[in-house]
Amino acid sequence: MRQLSEADRDAIRLAQDPQFPRWLDQVTATGGCAHPVHLSGSTTTLDATTGEVLHHYDTRNEPGERLLVRCRNRRATVCPACSRLHAGDTFHLVRAGLLGGKNVPATVRHRPRLFVTLTAPSFGPVHRTGGQCRPRRDRGVCEHGHPLGCGAMHGPDDAAVGRPLCAECYDYTGHVLWHAHASKLWDRFVIDVRRRLASSVGLVQSRFAEHARLSFARVAEYQKRAAVHVHTIVRLDGPAGPTHEPPAWGTADRLTDAVRASARRVQVRTPYSPAVGEVVLRWGAQLDVRRLSVGDGPDDDAVAAYVAKYVTKGASETGAGTDHPLTTWHDIGMVPVSEHIRTLMRTCWRLGGLYEYEHLRLRAWAHTLGYRGHILTKSRAYSTTYAALRAERAHHMGHADGQDDIPTQVTDRHWRYVGSGHTPGAALIAAGIADDLAESRRLGAEAKQEGEWRL
């Protein structure tokens, strides 16, 4: 036993516990969650008229007198099991807005729909892939003595990709401030698209909501240069949302023109700072607008899968920061990131100490390089919600029997948080369960594609 690792010894100890089968059932029910939440308490369902106890559950009979539930972390680097579940929920949420389902009518697939990619502007030349990096006939140098070009052929995994040709020329301040205002820039973009659609048909802008509704779902992704860009699905509905057809003037051409014009025109001005001045922030010049048409263009399932893939990626996985906040200036020097990322973090910390940028909370968000928006956001009428998908899954798995909907019954709950995570041996077992479930899903998907699985 002494020659075994701590994790192996702990796993053997767990397996010898009389309550191990029940503990294993709990871990399996969480899908092999890497950091489960431990709860203690009870739930009692009573007949409201007679007071008779219809159902009672108490964790005093559970292993360790606690119940394990999923952490629900979306990041694959934190919890692979829960991130896979979150990606699946995101896929169905996005897909429902494209093809219908989940209480969304199938007619939405015939609406004007676009898949739009909005990028950050340039903050300075960086190394890139695809042929020669930055070929130049002359051998010019910048004011700091660094070459203005690069004739190398960088591979996709080359560490130089995304890093500035000259760090001293790179606009780190503009990069951080753009991240801090990206959500505000998005809000203005959506408002401006509505205004341009209204103006294009002679409507008063305030009356647009009486004729049409703009629905969207967007996901943020860090590029190699550590700048966020946005993938978004935009759909034009009638005034009541997905249940109403858009007006006759609501065409894909008109929506495309409005999106392109708004992406070029909208801007956000930062508060004036004696140290920085006033900075005008816009979207980047690179704009990709693709129509989503039935039988033409990108496949709807592929678009939904593409969006879901990026939802589970944390900052550390993309190499654009860390998944944990930084508490001191010295923490920045300890994180395992490139010097380019570290400089962005230090810029966040420096700007966060200025009074005029205090409301941006740049130090609190230095680990994500100043970007504090949600990875996925959607308009209310786009499709279903994560809460509805989770409730549907719980009902399907038998974790919700609908008793709370019966007016003659009363449910009394008393729960408290008592811990989280696994011991070394438990973590080893949970990881094995998560891998087995993932492999089972993969094999099931392959069998379904090959026609070997009949529902």
Side-chain angles (χ1 to χ4, degrees):
M1 289 286 289
R2 293 180 179 178
Q3 296 178 352
L4 297 176
S5 67
E6 180 185 0
D8 289 337
R9 292 197 301 270
D10 188 44
I12 293 173
R13 178 189 62 79
L14 287 169
Q16 293 174 339
D17 191 303
Q19 289 188 303
F20 176 73
R22 174 55 187 159
W23 176 85
L24 198 62
D25 288 341
Q26 284 200 29
V27 175
T28 303
T30 67
C33 174
H35 299 279
V37 177
H38 302 189
L39 300 177
S40 176
S42 63
T43 298
T44 305
T45 302
L46 307 170
D47 188 298
T49 304
T50 65
E52 177 187 0
V53 176
L54 302 176
H55 175 75
H56 178 73
Y57 171 80
D58 199 309
T59 57
R60 284 182 292 184
N61 299 320
E62 297 286 2
E65 298 187 357
R66 55 186 60 190
L67 176 69
L68 306 184
V69 298
R70 286 180 178 272
C71 69
R72 292 185 179 177
N73 196 296
R74 68 169 181 83
R75 297 178 178 88
T77 54
V78 176
C79 181
C82 289
S83 72
R84 281 192 289 266
L85 191 68
H86 190 81
D89 286 346
T90 301
F91 173 79
H92 289 292
L93 184 150
V94 174
R95 187 180 187 276
L98 288 169
L99 297 174
K102 312 296 181 184
N103 296 322
V104 178
T107 53
V108 295
R109 68 183 306 178
H110 301 290
R111 308 276 171 82
R113 302 171 306 159
L114 305 176
F115 184 51
V116 182
T117 298
L118 299 162
T119 62
S122 173
F123 304 107
V126 298
H127 293 280
R128 57 191 180 185
T129 60
Q132 282 188 299
C133 176
R134 291 187 177 274
R136 289 179 64 97
R137 291 184 176 180
D138 59 15
R139 295 186 177 182
V141 296
C142 69
E143 59 181 302
H144 305 105
H146 295 98
L148 294 174
C150 175
M153 304 279 286
H154 299 299
D157 298 326
D158 193 325
V161 175
R163 298 183 185 180
L165 270 65
C166 175
E168 295 174 275
C169 291
Y170 194 83
D171 184 10
Y172 283 101
T173 297
H175 190 145
V176 166
L177 290 177
W178 193 91
H179 272 180
H181 292 84
S183 295
K184 189 173 184 179
L185 190 62
W186 166 260
D187 291 340
R188 292 195 177 180
F189 167 75
V190 173
I191 292 171
D192 197 69
V193 170
R194 295 192 187 105
R195 288 175 175 172
R196 291 184 181 279
L197 283 171
S199 298
S200 66
V201 294
L203 286 176
V204 178
Q205 295 173 2
S206 61
R207 306 289 295 274
F208 175 80
E210 299 176 11
H211 298 266
R213 186 166 190 161
L214 198 66
S215 298
F216 65 84
R218 74 172 179 96
V219 64
E221 177 202 358
Y222 284 92
Q223 296 172 294
K224 285 286 189 178
R225 59 184 174 132
V228 165
H229 66 177
V230 174
H231 302 293
T232 180
I233 298 163
V234 182
R235 190 185 72 223
L236 192 62
D237 298 323
T243 58
H244 277 198
E245 292 294 326
W249 53 260
T251 63
D253 286 339
R254 184 165 273 120
L255 181 59
T256 300
D257 292 342
V259 165
R260 289 188 178 279
S262 296
R264 291 192 300 265
R265 297 289 295 269
V266 294
Q267 62 183 32
V268 172
R269 294 180 179 272
T270 66
Y272 175 78
S273 167
V276 178
E278 183 186 59
V279 182
V280 179
L281 306 170
R282 296 183 174 88
W283 294 109
Q286 292 182 333
L287 172 68
D288 187 29
V289 182
R290 303 186 186 185
R291 297 187 188 183
L292 298 175
S293 303
V294 179
D296 184 27
D299 179 76
D300 292 332
D301 281 347
V303 171
Y306 186 80
V307 171
K309 175 181 67 174
Y310 287 107
V311 167
T312 63
K313 290 189 176 182
S316 62
E317 188 177 4
T318 58
T322 68
D323 291 330
H324 305 286
L326 305 172
T327 56
T328 67
W329 170 269
H330 299 290
D331 288 346
I332 300 175
M334 302 298 291
V335 293
V337 295
S338 67
E339 191 59 32
H340 175 55
I341 304 300
R342 188 171 285 110
T343 303
L344 284 167
M345 291 178 174
R346 286 173 174 155
T347 303
C348 285
W349 202 271
R350 178 175 57 82
L351 295 177
L354 300 178
Y355 172 78
E356 52 271 22
Y357 298 140
E358 184 178 359
H359 65 288
L360 299 177
R361 303 183 64 234
L362 289 172
R363 290 186 175 181
W365 294 97
H367 63 297
T368 57
L369 315 183
Y371 181 74
R372 63 186 192 279
H374 293 291
I375 293 298
L376 175 76
T377 57
K378 72 175 190 68
S379 59
R380 182 174 299 179
Y382 174 77
S383 68
T384 186
T385 64
Y386 282 121
L389 291 171
R390 289 166 183 159
E392 183 179 344
R393 180 170 57 251
H395 182 74
H396 175 74
M397 299 295 293
H399 299 158
D401 54 13
Q403 289 180 342
D404 292 344
D405 299 328
I406 303 176
T408 59
Q409 295 180 0
V410 176
T411 302
D412 187 24
R413 300 182 179 89
H414 297 281
W415 292 94
R416 63 188 180 91
Y417 169 83
V418 293
S420 63
H422 283 304
T423 61
L428 189 65
I429 296 172
I433 291 174
D435 290 342
D436 288 344
L437 291 173
E439 180 66 8
S440 178
R441 283 191 292 268
R442 185 187 68 80
L443 293 175
E446 288 182 357
K448 186 176 181 180
Q449 289 177 353
E450 295 173 3
E452 298 175 4
W453 186 12
R454 296 291 184 267
L455 297 177

